[in-house]
Protein backbone atom coordinates (compact mmCIF):
# COMPACT_ATOMS: atom_id res chain seq x y z
CA UNK A 1 0.00 0.00 0.00
CA UNK A 2 1.40 3.37 -1.05
CA UNK A 3 0.59 6.56 0.80
CA UNK A 4 -0.43 9.61 -1.16
CA UNK A 5 1.55 12.83 -0.99
CA UNK A 6 -1.18 14.33 1.19
CA UNK A 7 -0.99 11.42 3.63
CA UNK A 8 2.80 11.61 3.77
CA UNK A 9 2.73 15.34 4.51
CA UNK A 10 0.07 14.77 7.20
CA UNK A 11 2.27 12.07 8.78
CA UNK A 12 5.30 14.36 8.70
CA UNK A 13 3.32 17.22 10.27
CA UNK A 14 1.97 14.90 12.97
CA UNK A 15 5.47 13.58 13.72
CA UNK A 16 6.81 17.12 14.05
CA UNK A 17 4.06 18.01 16.54
CA UNK A 18 4.79 14.87 18.55
CA UNK A 19 8.51 15.73 18.59
CA UNK A 20 7.75 19.31 19.65
CA UNK A 21 5.53 18.00 22.45
CA UNK A 22 8.25 15.65 23.68
CA UNK A 23 10.85 18.42 23.64
CA UNK A 24 8.49 20.74 25.54
CA UNK A 25 7.88 18.01 28.13
CA UNK A 26 11.63 17.42 28.53
CA UNK A 27 12.24 21.15 29.02
CA UNK A 28 9.45 21.30 31.60
CA UNK A 29 10.91 18.38 33.55
CA UNK A 30 14.41 19.86 33.36
CA UNK A 31 13.30 23.29 34.57
CA UNK A 32 11.20 21.83 37.37
CA UNK A 33 14.11 19.68 38.56
CA UNK A 34 16.61 22.53 38.29
CA UNK A 35 14.41 24.99 40.20
CA UNK A 36 13.65 22.46 42.95
CA UNK A 37 17.34 21.62 43.35
CA UNK A 38 18.19 25.31 43.50
CA UNK A 39 15.54 25.92 46.18
CA UNK A 40 16.77 22.93 48.20
CA UNK A 41 20.36 24.20 48.02
CA UNK A 42 19.26 27.64 49.26
CA UNK A 43 17.32 26.07 52.13
CA UNK A 44 20.30 23.89 53.07
CA UNK A 45 22.60 26.92 52.99
CA UNK A 46 20.18 28.89 55.18
CA UNK A 47 19.94 25.97 57.61
CA UNK A 48 23.74 25.71 57.85
CA UNK A 49 24.04 29.46 58.44
CA UNK A 50 21.34 29.25 61.09
CA UNK A 51 23.18 26.44 62.87
CA UNK A 52 26.47 28.33 62.65
CA UNK A 53 24.83 31.51 63.91
CA UNK A 54 23.34 29.66 66.90
CA UNK A 55 26.53 27.81 67.83
CA UNK A 56 28.41 30.69 69.62
CA UNK A 57 25.64 31.23 72.18
Amino acid sequence: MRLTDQELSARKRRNLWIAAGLVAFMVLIFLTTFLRMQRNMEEARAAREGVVAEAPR
Side-chain angles (χ1 to χ4, degrees):
M1 182 171 122
R2 297 292 246 153
L3 297 177
T4 66
D5 289 339
Q6 187 178 14
E7 290 171 330
L8 287 173
S9 66
R11 178 196 287 178
K12 185 175 183 177
R13 189 171 40 252
R14 188 169 49 247
N15 287 342
L16 288 174
W17 278 109
I18 291 171
L22 286 172
V23 169
F25 179 70
M26 290 169 48
V27 169
L28 178 67
I29 296 299
F30 173 78
L31 287 176
T32 302
T33 303
F34 178 77
L35 293 174
R36 289 185 65 164
M37 286 176 58
Q38 186 177 21
R39 184 181 64 198
N40 288 342
M41 288 174 36
E42 290 171 359
E43 288 176 2
R45 186 179 310 119
R48 280 193 308 270
E49 290 173 356
V51 170
V52 172
E54 293 175 9
R57 287 185 184 182

